[in-house]
């Protein structure tokens, strides 16, 4: 049986929306979809694609949503023409390539789903459409028989919508994270370091519960108290203290004497000299304080900024392209990311 | 600005963006007021959304000068953003070391630079509105 997958990535939040929402919607700390931010060295998108591949689902398509498109099934109420045509084209391509069953996944939440198990449930119940649920609500993961989508009239999405009343529920009880707020992102990283989920740090465990990515460096006077993750090419300078299940993603720099406790530092971030980062998610220009539930814009590079990369570092980074690392097809304009 | 006396505290109301320019203006205002022994200062951070290193440096400068004269600095109202920035710079711990200013002490307000100009503008506007003749009832 040939099984394909269409993975849609929610739209990035536009800058104008960010400025409007500043201070009122702290989840807008991050301009892009949370699924595209690296956690312990790899994005959720990449991890899902790997899980699909491990389940033998090689035929994968990644689609980037436009803003205004929400939900697993393309909505008639909020038409975004380019996304629809890309989605229709992707289904057509999967059908043409012989996919009999199609996974439709929208990367809103992170869930550690056994795709084989879902597929077995779908086949055993002889359903036409299966959607994944937990005890609270539905997830944006569904399985559909492609023969139900074939037809001469109308669109694929029209035929898919007609199947919704007949869908079967797959009840999922495993690890989930809805990835709506920066706290969720932090929780996911924290759980990964404490082995509460199956996200494993991308790097070597250099001492008990301390993982370091390729090319990461820590000054001998710095104190690292695990569990801690220091991503590829990141640098922790002298007299720093890193502890409390902190994750420092790739290409970051923690300058002299700074303390980082129970925080997640996102890629390419510079942390200034002698500062204290506590219970925070930090990007190159914003700090989200998890306890106070507030996002603070920081435009002074002496405090927080984008790490300035040296020529050697740039060379060692190579071309950054997290969509195409494993070769899935990416449709839609990728300019959002 | 009213003159500060031995029985009054200086209330410094910081602007939304406490950056280099605002810090420079505030420094000039405060240094004029820091002539007494044991000065008392209350810093109001309630409007603050952003502080840069110059702003943090200015607060540190005030604390050092007040400490030298055995005075007291106290945080008045504080926004979550300002609390985060003070914690980031480790200044929250220093501010907590000062003795407490009595609650009943009279205050003399200082609002630096542009924020003061805005406040004065708003006060003038309010005054103009109250002076306008009210329409007569028909």
């Amino acid at each position: 049986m040939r099984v394909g997958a269409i993975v849609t990535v929610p739209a990035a939040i536009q800058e104008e929306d960010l400025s409007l929402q500043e201070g009122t919607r702290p989840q807008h700390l991050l301009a892009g979809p949370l699924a595209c931010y690296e956690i312990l060295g790899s994005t959720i998108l990449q991890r899902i694609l790997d899980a699909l591949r491990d389940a033998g689902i090689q035929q994968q398509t990644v689609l980037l949503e436009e803003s205004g498109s929400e939900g697993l099934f393309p909505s008639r109420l909020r038409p975004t023409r380019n996304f629809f045509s890309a989605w229709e084209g992707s289904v057509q391509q999967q059908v043409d390539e012989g996919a009999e069953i199609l996974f439709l996944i929208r990367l809103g939440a992170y869930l550690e789903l056994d795709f084989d198990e879902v597929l077995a449930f779908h086949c055993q119940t002889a359903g036409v459409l299966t959607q994944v649920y937990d005890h609270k609500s539905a997830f944006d993961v569904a399985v559909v028989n492609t023969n139900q989508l074939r037809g001469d009239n109308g669109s694929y999405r029209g035929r898919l919508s007609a199947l919704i009343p007949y869908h079967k529920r797959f009840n999922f009880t495993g690890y989930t994270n809805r990835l709506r707020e920066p706290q969720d992102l932090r929780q996911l990283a924290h759980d990964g370091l404490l082995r509460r989920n199956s996200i494993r740090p991308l790097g070597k465990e250099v001492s008990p519960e301390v993982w370091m990515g390729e090319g990461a460096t820590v000054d001998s006077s710095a104190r690292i108290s695990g569990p801690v993750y220091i991503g590829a090419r990141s640098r922790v300078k002298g007299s720093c203290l890193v502890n409390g299940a902190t994750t420092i993603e790739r290409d970051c720099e923690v300058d002299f004497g700074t303390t980082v406790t129970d925080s997640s530092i996102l890629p390419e971030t510079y942390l200034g000299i002698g500062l204290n980062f506590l219970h925070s998610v930090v990007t190159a220009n914003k700090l989200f304080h998890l306890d106070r539930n507030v996002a603070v814009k920081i435009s002074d590079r002496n405090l927080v900024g984008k790490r300035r990369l040296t020529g050697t570092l740039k060379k060692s980074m190579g071309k950054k392209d997290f969509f195409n690392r494993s070769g899935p097809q990416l449709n839609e304009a990728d300019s959002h990311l | 600005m009213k003159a500060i006396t031995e029985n009054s505290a200086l209330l410094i109301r910081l602007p939304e963006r406490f950056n280099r320019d605002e810090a420079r203006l505030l420094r000039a205002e405060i240094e004029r007021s820091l002539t007494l022994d044991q000065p008392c200062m209350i810093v109001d951070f309630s409007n603050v959304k952003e502080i840069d290193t110059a702003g943090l440096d200015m607060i540190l400068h005030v604390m050092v000068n007040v400490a030298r004269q055995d005075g007291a600095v106290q945080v008045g109202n504080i926004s979550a953003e300002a609390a985060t920035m003070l914690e980031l710079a480790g200044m929250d711990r220093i501010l907590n070391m000062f003795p407490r200013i009595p609650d009943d002490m009279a205050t003399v307000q200082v609002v630096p630079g542009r924020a003061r100009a805005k406040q004065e503008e708003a006060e003038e506007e309010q005054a103009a509105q109250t002076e306008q003749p009210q329409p007569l009832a028909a």
Side-chain angles (χ1 to χ4, degrees), chain A residues 10 19 97 110 139 159 162 228 235 239-240:
Chain A
S19 58
E97 287 173 6
Y110 172 77
F139 284 106
R159 288 191 283 274
V228 158
R235 186 179 178 192
S239 305
C240 287

Side-chain angles (χ1 to χ4, degrees), chain A residues 23 274-280 287 289 292 294-300 302-304, chain B residues 17 20 49-54 56 80-85 87-90 92-93:
Chain A
L275 302 174
N276 302 300
F277 293 87
L278 307 170
H279 321 295
S280 307
L287 182 151
H289 199 284
R292 297 192 182 101
V294 67
V296 184
K297 192 178 168 192
I298 303 178
S299 37
D300 186 340
N302 291 318
L303 299 170
V304 170
Chain B
R17 287 188 177 181
R20 186 174 297 275
K49 299 276 181 227
E50 266 185 79
I51 312 179
D52 67 2
T53 41
L56 291 168
E81 288 88 347
T84 303
M85 292 305 288
E87 181 184 89
L88 181 71
D92 53 336
R93 283 170 288 171

Side-chain angles (χ1 to χ4, degrees), chain A residues 33-44:
Chain A
L34 289 179
C36 290
Y37 279 88
E38 286 164 53
I39 294 166
L40 299 174
S42 184
T43 62
I44 298 303

Side-chain angles (χ1 to χ4, degrees), chain A residues 68-79:
Chain A
S69 168
E70 287 176 7
L72 174 62
F73 307 115
S75 164
R76 286 175 184 158
L77 299 173
R78 304 180 75 173

Side-chain angles (χ1 to χ4, degrees), chain A residues 126-142:
Chain A
V128 288
L129 179 69
T130 299
Q131 190 163 5
V132 177
Y133 284 75
D134 72 353
H135 64 284
K136 286 181 189 163
S137 57
F139 284 106
D140 288 345
V141 178

Side-chain angles (χ1 to χ4, degrees), chain B residues 10-108:
Chain B
L10 194 66
L11 174 67
I12 305 165
R13 191 152 283 161
L14 297 182
E16 195 175 315
R17 287 188 177 181
F18 190 41
N19 54 23
R20 186 174 297 275
D21 295 342
E22 294 288 351
R24 200 174 50 228
L25 292 165
L26 183 64
R27 181 181 287 230
E29 300 242 16
I30 287 175
E31 279 177 355
R32 278 203 298 272
S33 314
L34 267 175
T35 50
L36 295 174
D37 279 342
Q38 298 185 319
C40 292
M41 293 208 175
I42 301 169
V43 188
D44 186 327
F45 290 90
S46 56
N47 295 326
V48 175
K49 299 276 181 227
E50 266 185 79
I51 312 179
D52 67 2
T53 41
L56 291 168
D57 185 51
M58 174 61 212
I59 298 162
L60 194 63
H61 171 83
V62 167
M63 287 195 290
V64 168
N65 280 294
V66 170
R68 275 187 190 147
Q69 296 176 66
D70 294 327
V73 178
Q74 191 174 300
V75 175
N77 296 323
I78 188 162
S79 64
E81 288 88 347
T84 303
M85 292 305 288
L86 292 180
E87 181 184 89
L88 181 71
M91 286 164 68
D92 53 336
R93 283 170 288 171
I94 306 172
L95 279 162
N96 287 334
M97 288 176 188
F98 284 97
R100 196 159 166 79
I101 296 170
D103 290 337
D104 56 353
M105 192 177 251
T107 56
V108 174

